Amino acid sequence: MRPLVSAMTALKKSLLAALKSFLRGKSFLQALFAFWISPQKLKDHHVSARTPRITRTIIEFLREAEELFLRPIEGDGLRAFSSDLKAQFRERLQTHPECMLPSFNHLLPTGKEIGQFLALDVGGSTLRVALVELRGRETEERQCEIVRMISFKITPEIKRLEGMAFFDWMAMRIHDVIQKDGAAHLQDPIPMGLAWSFPVEQVSLGGGLLMGMGKGFLATNGLLGQDLGEIIKFACQKRGLNVQLASIINDSTATLLSQAYTHAETRFGLILGTGTNIAVHLPVSALSHWKYGTRPKSWFDSARHVIVNTELGMFGHDILPITRWDELLNASHPRPEFQPLEHLLSGYYLGEICRLAIVEAVETAGLLGGELPPSLMAPYSLDTEILSRIEADTSSTLEKALIAFTSAHPCPIPATPADIAAIRTLAHCISRRSAALLGASVFSLWELRHESTIEQVREDDDEKPALGEENLTAPPLTKVAFTGSVIEHYPGYLTKCQDYIAALVAGAENPVLAAGSIELVPAIESSIIGAAVALGCAVHEGQAA
């Protein structure tokens, strides 16, 4: 048996006692500090060729990691970040062509949109076609319900369909759903709402020019720059369906609208899964006029607010609390400056930050017996889902966490519960920082929205507020609709984020805001429901022909 393994085995009882003490209320660091192997024992039991690599104890490493990840978000640090981020939001509302993008959706649902609506959700792996019934916000029944939905897998073969062939396939699926429900009689033409998860240059509420889809799709071959609504209409006509694409929205807008139908206080749609984004309902005057492009005067005559796609991940330049592991990630990233905030928030990157910290801990503090699992040598090999499973295990033995880690990453020297506890500490720091920064992002936008609304009222003091305008003297009680694998499923993430938001609200300088609240609410089936609500708003206002 290797010397270090023998040493670790001999201390098994102490290590288990350390873990039990953690569960009685001590932190990881306190528990590990009391029972981890001393540097002298590492020196005595480690082969001499590796001794120079061990420059500190694992406790010292974890203490520094905790300091680097968490100290910047403690005390006034998070509030200072929030203030700096709000300044970036303001600046880019005026200047940046790739973020703070106004949609054509300026209406929030009144809750009076009633009827059955045909909704489509096209993602990277699935097409979903649904009939959604909206029953009204005041009904005692469920306000909205998916009457029928069929999901169709977008296989690699479907992705390879070129040009109209892909949209013909879509039309066949739409036809199947409509005919099964006898819904073709609903209206003529049948209006549709679409949640489209790919780039599109939107030119109207229901019109958008096709851009490259990526992700292996060939559907845009020969169709780039053509109107998506007309393409779908033409494909459906070949199946005997007279349809009209009346609204196109992205996933964050869909999330906002899906909850705004049932909760009138909803003003934000938040995505946090593999990636992150926020849609926010802002005054039209908050954005520079050039951001709106060449919209008709009639749009500006009817629009007082607009749903804005923030592209949240693109913010944070020069204001983020960066660690050396973040710097390593950026150094190897093909576009290190493109989405700096996303690197610290989203599920795609949290595992990689942890992997980079583990690599250093193995090399300098003897984690995992000083031997890195070969599978962890590759970038992005540590999935955030593994961190989620590790943090979910609160048992004294961390048996489930150990199995989750070692099944994915077999270790040359068997991992111990103490190794997993150390990795759990790193995961905890990284996920907590993410939750804090996301909470600060939501709070910053919330403050900005309130300030922008006041500014608009002052500019338009001769104009009476539109029906349904918020009372700016009353504390705002705002709901943020959310969806995404990280915020929904990562253990403790939602609670942490909500707690950070509550603390920021309570400490707001504006007493009206300090008396307000921000509540994170889940958006179930947000893409389909949101597409139906957007369509309902368009039909209700007579915007669909």
Side-chain angles (χ1 to χ4, degrees):
M1 184 179 289
R2 300 184 187 183
L4 185 57
V5 176
S6 299
M8 299 295 280
T9 302
L11 291 173
K12 180 179 179 182
K13 292 183 180 179
S14 296
L15 293 171
L16 291 177
L19 293 168
K20 289 177 182 177
S21 70
F22 154 67
L23 293 173
R24 289 195 298 268
K26 292 185 178 181
S27 70
F28 282 115
L29 295 184
Q30 288 173 319
L32 289 169
F33 184 74
F35 296 104
W36 196 277
I37 329 171
S38 70
Q40 184 60 43
K41 287 180 180 176
L42 274 174
K43 183 175 181 180
D44 292 342
H45 293 283
H46 210 291
V47 292
S48 59
R50 291 171 183 163
T51 300
R53 293 169 53 192
I54 307 304
T55 60
R56 54 188 161 172
T57 66
I58 192 66
I59 291 300
E60 292 168 338
F61 178 88
L62 293 174
R63 184 182 291 119
E64 184 195 12
E66 191 173 67
E67 178 84 7
L68 293 174
F69 283 121
L70 302 184
R71 176 59 67 84
I73 61 174
E74 294 173 349
D76 293 331
L78 193 61
R79 188 168 300 279
F81 168 75
S82 174
S83 178
D84 291 341
L85 186 60
K86 185 171 67 174
Q88 287 194 355
F89 288 152
R90 278 194 172 277
E91 188 268 331
R92 294 190 182 187
L93 281 169
Q94 307 302 316
T95 63
H96 204 285
E98 294 182 297
C99 57
M100 291 299 190
L101 306 174
S103 69
F104 275 79
N105 297 82
H106 63 88
L107 297 170
L108 290 182
T110 63
K112 297 178 181 179
E113 300 82 2
I114 296 174
Q116 286 192 349
F117 299 93
L118 181 62
L120 281 67
D121 173 28
V122 184
S125 60
T126 308
L127 163 67
R128 300 192 298 166
V129 185
L131 281 174
V132 179
E133 184 168 356
L134 304 181
R135 301 190 179 108
R137 190 179 291 156
E138 303 303 322
T139 184
E140 295 181 0
E141 306 175 72
R142 294 177 61 181
Q143 292 99 331
C144 57
E145 184 176 5
I146 297 175
V147 177
R148 180 179 181 84
M149 179 169 69
I150 302 181
S151 297
F152 304 94
K153 190 73 175 176
I154 300 178
T155 64
E157 292 74 22
I158 299 298
K159 287 186 176 184
R160 288 194 290 269
L161 293 176
E162 293 195 47
M164 281 303 303
F166 176 80
F167 294 98
D168 290 339
W169 173 82
M170 276 184 58
M172 290 176 62
R173 308 286 82 81
I174 296 168
H175 178 272
D176 291 344
V177 174
I178 290 178
Q179 293 303 317
K180 285 183 180 179
D181 280 276
H185 69 279
L186 290 177
Q187 290 189 45
D188 189 20
I190 303 169
M192 297 191 306
L194 171 64
W196 183 256
S197 299
F198 307 94
V200 62
E201 184 183 343
Q202 202 160 356
V203 294
S204 66
L205 186 61
L209 307 183
L210 270 180
M211 301 171 67
M213 294 171 66
K215 302 178 183 178
F217 283 86
L218 301 181
T220 56
N221 286 6
L223 298 177
L224 284 175
Q226 295 190 35
D227 190 278
L228 177 61
E230 291 300 314
I231 291 170
I232 293 177
K233 179 178 180 179
F234 178 65
C236 287
Q237 282 177 338
K238 289 189 286 183
R239 292 280 160 187
L241 295 176
N242 186 12
V243 303
Q244 177 191 9
L245 189 60
S247 64
I248 302 173
I249 56 176
N250 69 3
D251 54 359
S252 57
T253 296
T255 301
L256 191 164
L257 291 175
S258 70
Q259 281 302 296
Y261 185 76
T262 54
H263 298 293
E265 306 86 2
T266 307
R267 294 294 181 271
F268 298 84
L270 166 62
I271 309 288
L272 184 64
T274 303
T276 188
N277 198 13
I278 294 179
V280 54
H281 192 242
L282 288 177
V284 168
S285 61
L287 289 85
S288 175
H289 193 78
W290 73 267
K291 286 248 185 183
Y292 294 100
T294 55
R295 303 186 185 199
K297 182 178 181 296
S298 59
W299 188 90
F300 291 99
D301 290 341
S302 59
R304 184 171 179 82
H305 288 79
V306 62
I307 297 178
V308 176
N309 170 20
T310 64
E311 291 295 347
L312 178 67
M314 297 177 65
F315 290 86
H317 292 87
D318 301 323
I319 63 173
L320 288 168
I322 299 297
T323 69
R324 59 179 175 274
W325 304 296
D326 301 310
E327 291 174 347
L328 286 172
L329 186 151
N330 290 336
S332 62
H333 197 281
R335 301 183 72 182
E337 299 300 322
F338 183 58
Q339 293 181 310
L341 184 53
E342 178 140 331
H343 294 178
L344 274 62
L345 294 184
S346 74
Y348 186 78
Y349 296 105
L350 300 184
E352 176 63 3
I353 296 169
C354 192
R355 185 193 73 87
L356 292 167
I358 288 172
V359 170
E360 182 179 330
V362 167
E363 293 177 349
T364 67
L367 181 66
L368 298 172
E371 292 286 345
L372 185 70
S375 60
L376 284 181
M377 294 179 183
Y380 298 93
S381 54
L382 181 56
D383 196 285
T384 300
E385 192 268 338
I386 296 295
L387 301 189
S388 174
R389 292 167 65 185
I390 291 173
E391 281 214 61
D393 188 353
T394 58
S395 68
S396 60
T397 61
L398 293 179
E399 181 180 359
K400 291 182 180 179
L402 194 151
I403 291 172
F405 180 78
T406 57
S407 296
H409 303 287
C411 303
I413 297 176
T416 68
D419 289 320
I420 300 304
I423 293 171
R424 194 176 189 274
T425 299
L426 292 173
H428 171 79
C429 292
I430 292 165
S431 66
R432 176 171 285 278
R433 181 183 68 167
S434 171
L437 296 177
L438 181 63
S441 301
V442 171
F443 174 75
S444 296
L445 281 170
W446 185 68
E447 271 197 326
L448 174 63
R449 185 182 188 280
H450 186 78
E451 293 168 4
S452 298
T453 303
I454 291 175
E455 290 162 7
Q456 176 173 271
V457 169
R458 288 173 178 168
E459 291 174 5
D460 303 337
D461 54 3
D462 293 333
E463 180 182 342
K464 295 181 180 180
L467 185 64
E469 199 73 49
E470 296 108 310
N471 179 358
L472 297 177
T473 63
L477 308 178
T478 307
K479 295 189 186 299
V480 177
F482 70 81
T483 190
S485 57
V486 173
I487 194 167
E488 288 184 43
H489 303 303
Y490 197 103
Y493 191 101
L494 175 60
T495 300
K496 294 171 191 171
C497 187
Q498 183 70 74
D499 288 346
Y500 279 114
I501 290 173
L504 288 167
V505 170
E509 293 182 2
N510 185 327
V512 173
L513 293 181
S517 67
I518 302 173
E519 180 185 0
L520 301 174
V521 294
I524 309 301
E525 296 290 2
S526 58
S527 293
I528 281 291
I529 298 294
V533 171
L535 174 58
C537 290
V539 172
H540 188 68
E541 291 296 317
Q543 293 182 15

